[in-house]
Amino acid sequence: MKAVRRSALARPSTEVAPELLNKMLVSGPVAGRIVEVEAYRGSEDAASHAYRGPTARNGVMFGPAGHLYVYFTYGMHFCANIVTMTEGVAEAVLLRALAPVQGIDLMRVRRPAAHRDRDLCNGPAKLCQSLAIHRDLNGVDLLARSSTVRLLDDGTDPPTSPVASRRIGINVATGLLWRFSVPDDPNVSGPRSLLTGTPR
DNA sequence: CTTTGGATCGTCT
DNA sequence: GACGATCCAAAGG
């Protein structure tokens, strides 16, 4: 497993996002391969948490690349982002789905509602449950060897032609094709119909 | 397969 | 005081 260079992440999230596909996300004994992401940008993206400037919640997005931005939503769920760009510029890539690779038994214990393996990490809050990512991990450096959650490269290249589609779960700035996924991967979240074409 | 409504509370207006 | 970068079970095709 190679390390991911911070310089590779210190670029616009729309460029970094598709390159994160097929990278490994490791959390202690549990690991998965990234198969679906969404890019969010600060000032120019009305759907971004950072659109209206820094707050107590989104502070990590304004920090250096390679750190984990964890937020709490809907009164019960956590979602995780990888911060991109340089310090002071708030951009991030939301992790939407993983292919379970390691520690699947533990994932199943953490997510009793998952009936099939593909239900373990096929959503932003689901993967946080399976990997035990919660509030306390907000701000963790994914590139530090000492971190419990890490981003690694096992040598698998990103897909040559990633699927680009509309972002899910937002009510503004729809229409941008800033959701990227691995073609035909069964762990990608949401209905298949949202991947084909650009309906609405 | 798709659609619908309820759960539940931190965050920002 | 309103609303989520969501999930799940249930119900309908």
Side-chain angles (χ1 to χ4, degrees):
Chain A
M1 295 263 232
K2 305 183 247 181
V4 173
R5 294 250 184 78
R6 201 174 304 276
S7 58
L9 302 176
R11 298 186 294 120
S13 59
T14 45
E15 293 179 20
V16 175
E19 298 173 2
L20 287 174
L21 295 174
N22 284 334
K23 295 289 183 292
M24 298 294 295
L25 190 67
V26 182
S27 174
V30 173
R33 185 181 306 284
I34 298 171
V35 297
E36 181 191 354
V37 297
E38 282 177 0
Y40 284 88
R41 309 191 70 167
S43 50
E44 57 186 275
D45 178 9
S48 169
H49 287 172
Y51 183 55
R52 298 181 187 277
T55 67
R57 173 170 73 158
N58 66 23
V60 173
M61 278 186 76
F62 289 82
H67 288 249
L68 192 67
Y69 166 47
V70 180
Y71 68 89
F72 181 71
T73 191
Y74 289 103
M76 63 189 96
H77 295 303
F78 292 102
C79 297
N81 295 251
I82 295 175
V83 174
T84 71
M85 277 301 283
T86 53
E87 202 161 354
V89 181
E91 301 205 9
V93 175
L94 173 68
L95 301 171
R96 284 204 59 94
L98 310 176
V101 171
Q102 210 170 101
I104 294 178
D105 291 345
L106 182 50
M107 289 186 186
R108 296 198 77 100
V109 171
R110 290 168 172 170
R111 278 188 48 68
H115 290 95
R116 307 162 296 185
D117 281 358
R118 66 161 62 111
D119 298 318
L120 289 169
C121 300
N122 64 342
K126 296 179 187 180
L127 70 89
C128 284
Q129 270 181 247
S130 283
L131 300 210
I133 292 173
H134 55 94
R135 188 185 306 291
D136 292 349
L137 293 172
N138 186 37
V140 160
D141 185 0
L142 294 168
L143 306 186
R145 298 197 72 90
S146 59
S147 297
T148 58
V149 184
R150 301 181 63 195
L151 177 69
L152 293 170
D153 181 351
D154 74 345
T156 308
D157 287 327
T160 314
S161 302
V163 176
S165 54
R166 292 166 183 255
R167 295 180 292 180
I168 291 182
I170 57 175
N171 299 299
V172 293
T174 55
L176 299 170
L177 303 182
W178 285 1
R179 176 188 180 212
F180 303 94
S181 55
V182 174
D184 298 319
D185 190 289
N187 300 282
V188 172
S189 72
R192 294 284 288 256
S193 56
L194 293 184
L195 291 170
T196 161
T198 57
R200 194 72 215 280

